[in-house]
Amino acid sequence: MSAASPPFITPEALLAHWQGHRRLTRRVISAFPDDKLFTFSVGGMRTFGALAMEMITMAVPMVRGAVSGEWNTSGSRDPRPKEEVLRLWDEGTAQLNALWPQIPVGRFLETLTAFGQYTDALHNLILYVIDNEIHHRGQGYVYLRALGIEPPAFYDRS
Amino acid sequence: MSAASPPFITPEALLAHWQGHRRLTRRVISAFPDDKLFTFSVGGMRTFGALAMEMITMAVPMVRGAVSGEWNTSGSRDPRPKEEVLRLWDEGTAQLNALWPQIPVGRFLETLTAFGQYTDALHNLILYVIDNEIHHRGQGYVYLRALGIEPPAFYDRS
């Protein structure tokens, strides 16, 4: 790193930012009635349960791959009770905290091929996972409003 | 920067990432029929036109404030023709490219108070603006689907 190229954000701060988003996404999952999570959607789109399972099967596998070079996307996206989705979510949160510090120094700026097909700088691959979570969570806000349920505040990441 | 604290991403790469998102958001604005942009929504939420105007009144003012310390949120969010929204969008895109390199070295890691009320590290303040764009654009995808219009591909940032 030269003095002319300071960071936008450090790895530690980016993980804290992501975990703030994950706390909000967890609240959005929680806000769905159990019988709507895998049944309700708008405009023929996927259910929020299906989107949450997509997030779960992307987050830890991406970071584990960044650590180990092994890219596994195992994990079913099938419907299941909300409590089970939340349990998997919390498992992922703990795994991210454990895996993140194991990403080798400097790797975020390197170009990798994730899951055998997505080639980009690691920071872009990880931002894609976070952005995908924000994008689909935004859809979840519309589903909740359409169900007459007030979504959690977007700015609250506590 | 010590060797133990390498960047997650550099300022230049973060701007490129943001501008990729902005190209996608522009396509989402474009995809709305002119007579729906400020009239249609789902679940009593704001229209996508109102959300796009919010994005416009956040992006450049945040970066200009980061450069100058002057926090102005002027700019009306009133309804207007789609072509006018797109013109303002493109103006903002050029202004961001011009302002970004003027942000002083190291400032992204400093804590600022934006618009007299939001105190956080500058990287978090800027990520909030980007995340807000992604969040509301996700809502726009639902509106388009509800209108029977296929949204642009999320992964295409070209």
Side-chain angles (χ1 to χ4, degrees), chain A residues 1 3 6-9 11 14 17 21 42 45 105 108-109 123 127-128 131 134-135 138-139 141-142 145 154-155, chain B residues 1 3 6-9 11 14 17 21 42 45 108-109 123 127-128 131 134-135 138-139 141-142 145 154-155:
Chain A
M1 295 296 297
F8 174 78
I9 191 168
L14 196 282
H17 177 79
H21 273 300
V42 174
M45 303 181 88
V105 164
F108 294 107
L109 305 185
H123 57 233
L127 287 176
Y128 190 89
D131 296 345
I134 300 167
H135 170 70
Q139 297 174 213
Y141 272 61
V142 185
R145 287 281 183 195
F154 177 71
Y155 54 80
Chain B
M1 295 296 295
F8 174 78
I9 191 168
L14 196 281
H17 177 79
H21 274 300
V42 174
M45 303 180 90
F108 293 107
L109 305 185
H123 56 234
L127 288 175
Y128 190 89
D131 295 345
I134 300 168
H135 170 70
Q139 297 173 212
Y141 272 61
V142 185
R145 287 282 183 195
F154 177 71
Y155 55 79

